[in-house]
Amino acid sequence: MKILFISHEASRSGAPLALLYLLKEMKIKTPEITFNVLFVQGGPLIDDFKSICKTICPFNRPWNIQHVFKHDTIRERLSIRFLIQYLKKERFDLIYANTVASLSTAVALKTHLSIPILLHAHEAVQSQHRFGVTKNLIKNCDYFIGAGILAYEGLIAFDAPADRIHTIYPFSELAERIMSDASLSSKNKCPNERKALIGCIGPLTERKGADFLPMIIRRLHDIHPDCDYKIHCIGTFIEGISKKVFYDLGRIGMRDKLQDFGSVSDPLPEYHKLDFLLMLSREDPFPLAVLENGLLGKPCILFDGSCGTQRFIKDGENGIIVPYLDIDGVANAIYQLCEDREKRLDMGRKFQETLTNHYHQFRTNDEIIKLLLQILNDIKIDSNTHKD
């Protein structure tokens, strides 16, 4: 049996990293399933994917299979026609769209390949709108995985049938490294005498709440001028609104409060330096950074109802949940964790225990592989029935 995986990009962000880890495990655990990966656009992980399987990636610009019906250059239209012929010869049994950003490509290919689609939604409803998801596109999907409750609710909003949605909480290769090596998760105790280091993980975009940073830093200075801290931004792989953020910080004379580390191939050494996370996302179905830092014993501050990882957090016990857009609430939460080292360490230990217990019981990739085997078996039975 053969699967065509489609990834919207090969960046060091959550969904591509989770897919890469899944494919590595499938290579070992299910040799009876072969697979290729088609990228809508490239990125730094391309070589990692190439080491596992055949990959197809555009050379010049992000492409869309629908270009074949538009007035692009003859060369581009021919290239896509050749691609379709190649994919037909590969005789795939299933299309696996890894994020809604790859859904339109998957649906266009379904027209040519006549095989079912499994959509793995890593996005909540507003992001699904932003990527052009429609009820008609969702209607073309046959199976669904929702990366947490926010992704599930987003799919329901577009009329995906509830009985076809499998909610599976994401995992990462870095999280696996942390769980399988006790020395990594215990290497967490930072000196008490230095200023607190706060992690802000991911691209500086509005969806991630980057525009709140100058407001929070300003408010924290106004109500807690004695608070000694620094924010480390890790994983900025797209420009987003970073220039605006640093412009605003410069205007209020607090540019030194935030340091941007950009995208790093192994963020673990930077994660070890942190005391806790600040997650300002407006919506984030399941940020892997919260999971990874939680397994390291780092608690998190987040907005109520905005992050799927809230499912594992009890306010005031193993993290802090602030009312949505409550800038004063965030400032006070930061001050509390900066000032009370023992409290944040206790929160971190409890968060680590909660996550460890869950992922010892539910192995994400094993759940996905089990679902894929079931789907492929159903397809095989259906195909044999039609032949008879």
Side-chain angles (χ1 to χ4, degrees):
M1 304 297 278
K2 196 166 189 176
I3 300 175
L4 175 63
F5 288 89
I6 305 178
S7 180
H8 70 293
E9 63 186 14
S11 66
R12 298 188 189 280
S13 56
L17 284 170
L19 176 61
L20 180 63
Y21 182 41
L22 170 64
L23 297 184
K24 286 181 178 179
E25 295 230 307
M26 287 181 64
K27 189 92 171 179
I28 298 169
K29 295 180 178 179
T30 56
E32 68 272 28
I33 300 176
T34 57
F35 47 82
N36 293 10
V37 182
L38 172 65
F39 291 96
V40 178
Q41 59 181 315
L45 290 180
I46 285 290
D47 288 340
D48 297 84
F49 279 96
K50 284 183 177 178
S51 69
I52 300 172
C53 63
K54 291 181 181 178
T55 63
I56 306 163
C57 182
F59 291 101
N60 298 321
R61 66 181 175 106
W63 66 279
N64 188 310
I65 199 74
Q66 293 170 337
H67 287 171
V68 76
F69 307 114
K70 296 182 179 179
H71 298 294
D72 287 331
T73 67
I74 292 176
R75 179 175 176 272
E76 287 174 330
R77 294 169 70 184
L78 283 174
S79 294
I80 292 175
R81 288 188 184 277
F82 282 132
L83 172 63
I84 292 169
Q85 291 304 312
Y86 167 77
L87 295 177
K88 284 182 176 180
K89 289 179 182 177
E90 289 288 302
R91 302 180 67 82
F92 293 102
D93 299 288
L94 176 70
I95 297 171
Y96 186 119
N98 188 52
T99 71
V100 299
S102 61
L103 179 56
S104 60
T105 298
V107 171
L109 280 177
K110 181 179 183 179
T111 303
H112 297 278
L113 303 182
S114 301
I115 55 176
I117 294 175
L118 185 158
L119 170 61
H120 192 160
H122 292 264
E123 301 88 348
V125 66
Q126 290 305 316
S127 291
Q128 292 186 23
H129 279 296
R130 183 164 55 89
F131 285 117
V133 174
T134 64
K135 290 182 179 181
N136 188 55
L137 283 173
I138 293 296
K139 188 190 294 186
N140 277 278
C141 298
D142 304 273
Y143 311 94
F144 303 88
I145 296 175
I149 188 62
L150 294 182
Y152 171 87
E153 290 172 350
L155 290 170
I156 291 294
F158 285 96
D159 289 348
D163 61 345
R164 292 205 165 213
I165 304 174
H166 302 264
T167 302
I168 301 176
Y169 293 100
F171 202 55
S172 70
E173 193 166 7
L174 178 56
E176 181 64 48
R177 280 172 58 196
I178 296 167
M179 282 188 64
S180 51
D181 187 344
S183 66
L184 292 178
S185 57
S186 63
K187 197 194 303 181
N188 177 38
K189 309 303 179 282
C190 299
N192 192 26
E193 62 274 7
R194 64 147 170 81
K195 67 178 67 177
L197 290 182
I198 305 167
C200 190
I201 316 298
L204 291 170
T205 63
E206 288 190 4
R207 181 178 71 82
K208 291 285 188 178
D211 50 320
F212 298 136
L213 280 168
M215 303 177 205
I216 290 167
I217 290 171
R218 174 72 207 211
R219 192 62 184 143
L220 190 52
H221 173 75
D222 290 343
I223 61 179
H224 299 295
D226 59 326
C227 188
D228 195 13
Y229 70 96
K230 189 161 187 175
I231 298 175
H232 283 188
C233 291
I234 304 165
T236 303
F237 60 92
I238 54 178
E239 185 171 317
I241 58 172
S242 57
K243 290 181 180 178
K244 179 182 182 301
V245 169
F246 289 117
Y247 169 80
D248 287 345
L249 289 174
R251 286 287 304 274
I252 61 176
M254 296 181 187
R255 174 65 181 78
D256 63 319
K257 287 296 185 183
L258 190 148
Q259 185 174 353
D260 186 5
F261 286 79
S263 180
V264 292
S265 57
D266 182 7
L268 190 57
E270 297 303 326
Y271 287 175
H272 275 308
K273 299 174 187 176
L274 303 176
D275 292 297
F276 59 94
L277 284 195
L278 179 61
M279 197 50 111
L280 300 173
S281 295
R282 287 175 164 85
E283 62 165 22
D284 216 328
F286 205 90
L288 290 176
V290 175
L291 164 65
E292 292 157 355
N293 279 272
L295 290 170
L296 290 170
K298 321 281 185 175
C300 180
I301 300 169
L302 48 78
F303 284 132
D304 189 19
S306 293
C307 287
T309 40
Q310 184 174 333
R311 176 248 187 270
F312 296 103
I313 296 176
K314 292 183 179 179
D315 184 34
E317 183 175 323
N318 63 355
I320 299 181
I321 300 169
V322 177
Y324 188 54
L325 302 187
D326 184 353
I327 301 300
D328 277 17
V330 174
N332 287 324
I334 290 173
Y335 183 70
Q336 179 184 349
L337 293 187
C338 284
E339 292 298 301
D340 194 339
R341 181 175 184 270
E342 289 307 313
K343 185 176 184 64
R344 73 172 182 254
L345 289 175
D346 183 57
M347 279 187 174
R349 281 191 292 266
K350 290 176 179 175
F351 192 30
Q352 182 183 53
E353 182 179 349
T354 299
L355 292 170
T356 301
N357 288 341
H358 173 82
Y359 283 101
H360 273 316
Q361 186 176 359
F362 301 100
R363 308 299 291 183
T364 298
N365 286 342
D366 287 347
E367 289 189 64
I368 295 175
I369 290 170
K370 180 181 177 182
L371 176 61
L372 288 174
L373 288 170
Q374 177 186 324
I375 290 171
L376 291 172
N377 186 57
D378 290 345
I379 292 170
K380 186 176 180 180
I381 291 172
D382 186 58
S383 176
N384 291 335
T385 301
H386 280 92
K387 284 179 183 178
D388 295 340

